[in-house]
C-alpha cells in the first residue's frame, strides 16, 4: 500500500502540472473573450469548472499518498449529494432508476468536501454495479437522526445524540453472509478482472473514520444492500459568511523574476503578471 501511495503521488504530481496549464490557459482565454462571447464563454467556464474539480481530486490523491490529514471546513451535504447524483446519472444504465430524499435540516458537518464526495461516488458506483442485470433502483437519502446510545462498527464509533445519516441502497441480490465480514478489506472484490480494484469500500471506511463518523452495512439475500454513513451533528450556524476575494495588487511596471521548471506554468504566470501591470522574465 505504501508503494502504491508513492506511485499514485508521483503520477498525481505530474498530472497536477498538466491541469495547472489547462486551468491557467482557460482563465486567460476567458479574459480575452469579448463580453458577448456567448456560447464560447459558457463552454470555457465549464472547462474551467471541470479542471478545478479535477485539481481537487488530484489534491486528494496527493494527501492520501503523503498521509496528510483531511482539510476540514463547514460542508453542506445536500448540494454535494445532488452534484454526486448528477454525475451518476451520466454513467448508470438507463434501466436503473435513481431516487433521492434529502430532508436533513440542518445538513452541515465539518468535513473535507473532496473526500466526502469520493465516499458518495464509491458507494453509489458499488450499488449500481451490484445490480448486475442493469436494472433496479438506486436510493440515496440524507436525514437527521437521533441516536439513543453510542453506535459502533468495526473500529468506528459515533456517540449518542444528533447526527446526519447518508444512506445508499440498491435493489440487487444482496451480499452473501460469508462475504460480509470481508467487504471492507483492501483488494477484496467479487467483480471480474478489470471491473474493480477492491479499494472503494476500504478507502471510504478510512475517510469516514478520519472524519469521526461511522460506516455500516445492512443486507439480506434477495433484498439488496444499504450502506449508511453517520456523522455527528451540531454545527448549526457554523457556515461562515461569504467573503469577496481580495483584489489583486496592481503593478506600475515593476520587474518580477519568475522561476519554474514547467514552461507553461511560467508562461501562464507571466501573462497574468503583465495583465496586472508588471514586467516579468521567466527562467527554468
Amino acid at each position: 500500500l505504501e508503494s502504491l501511495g508513492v506511485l499514485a503521488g508521483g503520477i498525481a504530481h505530474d498530472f497536477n502540472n498538466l491541469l495547472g496549464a489547462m486551468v491557467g490557459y482557460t482563465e486567460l482565454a476567458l479574459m480575452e473573450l469579448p463580453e458577448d462571447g456567448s456560447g464560447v464563454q459558457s463552454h470555457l467556464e465549464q472547462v474551467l469548472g471541470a479542471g478545478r474539480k479535477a485539481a481537487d481530486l488530484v489534491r486528494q490523491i496527493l494527501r492520501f499518498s503523503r498521509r496528510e490529514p483531511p482539510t476540514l471546513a463547514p460542508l453542506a451535504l445536500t448540494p454535494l449529494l445532488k452534484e454526486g447524483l448528477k454525475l451518476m446519472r451520466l454513467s448508470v444504465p438507463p434501466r436503473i432508476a435513481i431516487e433521492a430524499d434529502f430532508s436533513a435540516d440542518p445538513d452541515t458537518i465539518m468535513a473535507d468536501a473532496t473526500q466526502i464526495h469520493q465516499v458518495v461516488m464509491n458507494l453509489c458506483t458499488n450499488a449500481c454495479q451490484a445490480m448486475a442485470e442493469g436494472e433496479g433502483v438506486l436510493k440515496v437519502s440524507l436525514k437527521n437522526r437521533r441516536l439513543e446510545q453510542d453506535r459502533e462498527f468495526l473500529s468506528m464509533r459515533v456517540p449518542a445524540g444528533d447526527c446526519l445519516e447518508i444512506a445508499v441502497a440498491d435493489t440487487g441480490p444482496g451480499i452473501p453472509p460469508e462475504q460480509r465480514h470481508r467487504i471492507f478489506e483492501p483488494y477484496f472484490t467479487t467483480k471480474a478482472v478489470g471491473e474493480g480494484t477492491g479499494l472503494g469500500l476500504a478507502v471510504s471506511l478510512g475517510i469516514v473514520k478520519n472524519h469521526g463518523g461511522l460506516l455500516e452495512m445492512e443486507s439480506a439475500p434477495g433484498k439488496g444492500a444499504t450502506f449508511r454513513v453517520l456523522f455527528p451533528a451540531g454545527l448549526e450556524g457554523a457556515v461562515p459568511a461569504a467573503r469577496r476575494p481580495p483584489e489583486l495588487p496592481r503593478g506600475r511596471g515593476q520587474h518580477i523574476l519568475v522561476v519554474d521548471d514547467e514552461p507553461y506554468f511560467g508562461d501562464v504566470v507571466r501573462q497574468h503578471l503583465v495583465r496586472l501591470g508588471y514586467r516579468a522574465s521567466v527562467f527554468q
Side-chain angles (χ1 to χ4, degrees):
L1 284 175
E2 184 175 354
S3 298
L4 284 174
V6 172
L7 174 64
I11 295 173
H13 176 77
D14 291 340
F15 188 57
N16 196 49
N17 289 340
L18 298 175
L19 283 173
M22 294 176 189
V23 169
Y25 281 116
T26 302
E27 289 175 338
L28 289 171
L30 282 168
M31 292 177 186
E32 295 176 3
L33 274 180
E35 291 295 330
D36 58 348
S38 61
V40 176
Q41 182 174 357
S42 175
H43 295 334
L44 286 175
E45 287 173 349
Q46 292 296 324
V47 171
L48 184 60
R52 286 173 174 165
K53 288 178 182 176
D56 285 339
L57 291 174
V58 170
R59 280 192 287 273
Q60 158 67 18
I61 297 173
L62 288 171
R63 279 197 297 269
F64 172 76
S65 65
R66 295 168 182 167
R67 298 181 181 180
E68 295 180 3
T71 304
L72 303 182
L75 173 67
L77 290 174
T78 301
L80 183 143
L81 290 170
K82 288 181 177 179
E83 180 183 353
L85 289 187
K86 183 178 179 181
L87 292 174
M88 287 301 302
R89 285 191 174 95
L90 300 176
S91 59
V92 302
R95 291 191 298 170
I96 292 181
I98 298 179
E99 297 180 359
D101 178 14
F102 306 140
S103 59
D105 184 19
D107 67 346
T108 303
I109 61 172
M110 290 296 293
D112 185 308
T114 303
Q115 292 193 6
I116 301 303
H117 181 271
Q118 183 180 0
V119 170
V120 171
M121 297 305 290
N122 283 348
L123 295 179
C124 288
T125 299
N126 280 357
C128 290
Q129 292 176 343
M131 295 179 277
E133 300 301 321
E135 184 173 1
V137 180
L138 168 65
K139 300 178 181 179
V140 182
S141 65
L142 174 67
K143 63 183 180 180
N144 302 104
R145 283 193 60 180
R146 175 77 182 177
L147 298 181
E148 299 302 327
Q149 58 185 11
D150 294 357
R151 195 73 160 264
E152 297 184 9
F153 183 72
L154 296 179
S155 58
M156 300 167 288
R157 177 179 172 275
V158 171
D162 294 329
C163 69
L164 283 161
E165 177 191 271
I166 302 172
V168 177
D170 65 72
T171 56
I175 302 171
E178 65 273 12
Q179 294 179 357
R180 292 177 194 171
H181 70 288
R182 298 197 61 196
I183 60 173
F184 292 105
E185 294 178 8
Y187 301 113
F188 175 78
T189 179
T190 59
K191 303 182 184 74
V193 175
E195 294 182 4
T197 62
L199 282 172
L201 285 177
V203 170
S204 297
L205 185 147
I207 291 173
V208 172
K209 181 178 179 181
N210 286 341
H211 281 77
L214 180 145
L215 172 60
E216 61 183 9
M217 178 272 299
E218 177 184 317
S219 181
K223 296 185 178 180
T226 300
F227 287 84
R228 293 186 176 88
V229 183
L230 300 174
F231 292 111
L235 293 176
E236 295 87 341
V239 180
R243 293 183 299 175
R244 295 181 62 183
E247 187 172 340
L248 294 175
R250 296 285 170 174
R252 297 186 301 275
Q254 297 97 324
H255 198 174
I256 296 178
L257 171 67
V258 180
V259 181
D260 201 295
D261 60 346
E262 296 291 347
Y264 36 73
F265 267 1
D267 184 55
V268 167
V269 173
R270 181 190 63 79
Q271 293 193 52
H272 276 290
L273 288 171
V274 170
R275 284 181 168 275
L276 290 170
Y278 298 96
R279 291 184 297 130
S281 297
V282 182
F283 293 89
Q284 284 181 265

